[in-house]
Amino acid sequence: GGGGLLAANTHRVAAQKGVAASTTAKTLVTAGALAATAYARILGKKVELASSSDPRDVEKAEQHPMDVDRARRQLAYAQWALPALTGCLVVLNALHGEQQRPGEQLHGVWERARSATPFLP
């Protein structure tokens, strides 16, 4: 969805000051949230295998020994990181919504033009 919006708003990203930076930040935060989600899943599966009473899971856990306490601590950090990253995305989405207002677009385009040509008022 984000890629489609970026394609539809390419002219605004290029012309309006601040939009490219917030778009880049939003992309990086989204990638971080996806990576944290995947990492939390991997850690959760490791802890699940290590604490299972199923003989097959116990055998798998013995083949790949790990420090369960360390994995639980890392999982706790990942579980705090996910809501924080999601909150950042909510803020960036609100910023993008404000940047799409006609008055903000005009102001952003003017600021971009002014920074490109220093002799404008």
Side-chain angles (χ1 to χ4, degrees):
L5 286 172
L6 182 60
N9 291 313
T10 308
H11 66 283
R12 193 171 65 82
V13 171
Q16 188 178 350
K17 186 175 184 176
V19 176
S22 63
T23 300
T24 301
K26 188 175 171 184
T27 302
L28 292 174
V29 171
T30 301
L34 290 172
T37 301
Y39 187 60
R41 171 66 178 126
I42 290 167
L43 288 172
K45 194 64 176 171
K46 285 181 178 182
V47 170
E48 178 186 339
L49 282 175
S51 59
S52 176
S53 59
D54 184 14
R56 291 178 291 187
D57 291 342
V58 171
E59 185 179 317
K60 286 180 187 177
E62 288 173 354
Q63 289 175 355
H64 304 286
M66 59 169 267
D67 183 1
V68 177
D69 290 331
R70 181 175 176 232
R72 284 189 176 135
R73 279 193 311 274
Q74 290 173 338
L75 184 58
Y77 291 133
Q79 289 173 337
W80 277 102
L82 290 170
L85 290 167
T86 303
C88 289
L89 285 173
V90 169
V91 170
L92 288 169
N93 282 332
L95 175 65
H96 274 168
E98 289 298 313
Q99 288 175 336
Q100 287 181 338
R101 291 178 175 222
E104 287 298 316
Q105 287 183 19
L106 179 63
H107 178 71
V109 170
W110 175 253
E111 287 298 318
R112 173 73 68 147
R114 204 176 103 199
S115 67
T117 54
F119 58 87
L120 287 176

